[in-house]
Amino acid sequence: MITSAYSFVALLLAVAGGLKLLEAKSRWKIFEFLPAIVMLYFVVMLMSTFGFWQQTEVINQAYAQLKQNILPAMIFLMLLNSDLRQIRKLGGKIILAFFAAAISIGIAFILAFILFQSALAEGAWKTLAALSGSWMGGTGNMAAIQMALDVPDASMGYTLLIDSIDYALWVMLLLALVPYAKRFAKWTGADTSQLDEVGQNLSSDSKQVSGDQTTSLLFLLAASLVVSVGTQQLAEWLPTSAFFTHTTWTVLIVTVLGVLAAMTPISKLFGAVELSNLMLYLIIGLIASRANFAELAAAPTYILMGMVILLLHGLMMLVFAKLFKFDLFTCGVASLANIGGVASAPILAAAYSRALIPIGVLMAMLGYIIGTGGGLVVGKVLSLIAA
């Protein structure tokens, strides 16, 4: 049994690295439905259930310090690729579709919570707020909301279950609908002539990272850690309430700083994606290390609730499509840019045309910007309903 902090962190990183390598080198179909980062959660949770480590004082201290300080640094790095000037080039209708998808997801969470509230555990609104952040942005936003709302790590198992199982079904459905794009456009009255032109312009105008790799990595790592310390200190000076805690302020401030930094030369340095991904894997491992399979007894209810959320979201997107004359590509990628993020939105875009891949990427980046704030808004509404 592991009792030292160093061995504990080393084991988490070893599991993360092994799973990521296995995903990259093997051809196992399971990784198409359960990416390495989701597998990491369940593998570490299984190890926690069987007592691979003891929650000693040094391990608990390392867990708290790493999670508290790495998360703001990760958010800052994650947002460096979210340049609002590039996102603006998507065009009004595509951006409108993205926000329509985000709003419909938020409304769907609220309606589903009202329907399922009696079957959910006390405080489940926090878990669903974290999931809504993920489905408006990505896993990083989910982790940010978990930190901001102090969601118990044990409850995050439900979030990952919904985020993997229901999300996989949604991706398959959207890919299956690709052949019906022309029929859908005829039904909505959409004009698809501008999509290829927008995609080609974004491809030729894409941002390239530059600089010596070691220098860039060292600078970005230092900058992100300094931002983490600085924002936490600044948050200590701001007024708080039951909802806006010091942690909530930290997450919001670092989000603003990341968006602003994305419009500076810092964003062109190599390594922001790589470093933020490393931090994300460590954070997911830390969260899972406090979870237990015995606490997932209500999993079927949460999975069913996730399906209801997606159904409500899909129905609302049909209404928006008819109202604003969206084509199927715009609706599908806007939805997946929210729910799946940068890992899957470009895949759906490529199913229509490779020229449209940059649109999928930029829409997913926009999700990183709004995911944390959107999830916190949903969480506030859910908390009022639960009161």
Side-chain angles (χ1 to χ4, degrees):
M1 181 183 293
I2 293 173
T3 57
S4 72
Y6 180 84
S7 300
F8 169 68
V9 175
L11 179 61
L12 295 183
L13 291 174
V15 174
L19 287 171
K20 191 62 181 172
L21 183 64
L22 196 60
E23 180 184 40
K25 298 298 183 181
S26 74
R27 297 188 179 184
W28 291 2
K29 290 290 185 181
I30 190 172
F31 287 113
E32 295 180 12
F33 304 99
L34 294 174
I37 195 164
V38 176
M39 294 283 286
L40 170 65
Y41 186 94
F42 290 109
V43 170
V44 174
M45 183 166 64
L46 186 65
M47 296 172 73
S48 174
T49 303
F50 284 99
F52 273 62
W53 48 81
Q54 183 180 344
Q55 294 188 18
T56 61
E57 183 178 350
V58 290
I59 286 181
N60 289 337
Q61 187 176 20
Y63 162 85
Q65 289 291 322
L66 284 171
K67 188 178 173 188
Q68 177 183 342
N69 293 293
I70 289 179
L71 183 59
M74 182 205 71
I75 296 171
F76 176 76
L77 292 170
M78 180 181 70
L79 290 170
L80 286 183
N81 285 313
S82 304
D83 192 334
L84 289 174
R85 294 170 299 184
Q86 291 289 326
I87 292 170
R88 187 178 58 188
K89 296 177 184 177
L90 289 174
K93 181 168 283 192
I94 296 175
I95 294 176
L96 175 62
F98 174 86
F99 282 103
I103 291 169
S104 66
I105 289 169
I107 294 173
F109 267 92
I110 294 167
L111 294 176
F113 182 72
I114 294 172
L115 291 173
F116 285 83
Q117 185 178 4
S118 61
L120 302 176
E122 185 178 355
W125 67 269
K126 293 184 178 182
T127 303
L128 295 172
L131 178 63
S132 69
S134 176
W135 278 10
M136 291 182 188
T139 308
N141 301 95
M142 177 192 73
I145 293 173
Q146 190 219 358
M147 177 181 174
L149 298 182
D150 194 24
V151 184
D153 289 339
S155 300
M156 295 303 291
Y158 296 117
T159 302
L160 268 294
L161 272 175
I162 300 173
D163 200 20
S164 57
I165 296 173
D166 295 337
Y167 153 73
L169 294 173
W170 192 244
V171 172
M172 288 188 287
L173 174 62
L174 293 180
L175 287 172
L177 291 175
V178 171
Y180 301 96
K182 289 184 178 179
R183 191 178 302 178
F184 188 88
K186 185 177 180 181
W187 175 68
T188 62
D191 179 12
T192 61
S193 61
Q194 295 181 343
L195 279 175
D196 286 337
E197 181 181 353
V198 172
Q200 293 287 1
N201 290 339
L202 288 170
S203 294
S204 61
D205 212 15
S206 60
K207 180 169 58 179
Q208 300 292 326
V209 295
S210 61
D212 172 69
Q213 292 188 3
T214 301
T215 303
S216 297
L217 286 169
L218 186 58
F219 176 81
L220 288 176
L221 178 60
S224 66
L225 295 178
V226 169
V227 166
S228 175
V229 173
T231 53
Q232 290 182 73
Q233 184 61 54
L234 179 58
E236 292 291 331
W237 300 335
L238 295 173
T240 60
S241 65
F243 189 81
F244 275 95
T245 64
H246 292 309
T247 305
T248 307
W249 279 119
T250 299
V251 170
L252 293 178
I253 295 169
V254 81
T255 298
V256 172
L257 291 177
V259 171
L260 294 176
M263 293 183 282
T264 70
I266 295 175
S267 65
K268 296 185 179 181
L269 295 176
F270 169 82
V273 174
E274 290 76 9
L275 285 172
S276 62
N277 283 340
L278 287 173
M279 292 177 179
L280 178 60
Y281 273 83
L282 178 56
I283 289 168
I284 293 300
L286 289 168
I287 293 171
S289 72
R290 291 297 187 272
N292 192 305
F293 269 108
E295 296 165 342
L296 293 181
T301 302
Y302 282 84
I303 293 171
L304 176 61
M305 184 178 179
M307 292 179 180
V308 171
I309 291 170
L310 291 175
L311 175 62
L312 293 171
H313 160 62
L315 291 174
M316 282 185 275
M317 285 303 292
L318 287 177
V319 174
F320 285 131
K322 189 67 175 177
L323 185 62
F324 297 109
K325 297 183 178 181
F326 294 149
D327 59 276
L328 187 58
F329 164 83
T330 300
C331 286
V333 174
S335 173
L336 209 53
N338 279 276
I339 295 171
V342 75
S344 53
I347 296 174
L348 181 62
Y352 288 90
S353 169
R354 291 194 62 82
L356 300 175
I357 291 176
I359 295 178
V361 173
L362 286 178
M363 290 179 80
M365 291 299 177
L366 184 56
Y368 285 155
I369 295 174
I370 72 157
T372 302
L376 288 173
V377 170
V378 170
K380 181 63 175 178
V381 175
L382 297 184
S383 70
L384 295 175
I385 297 172

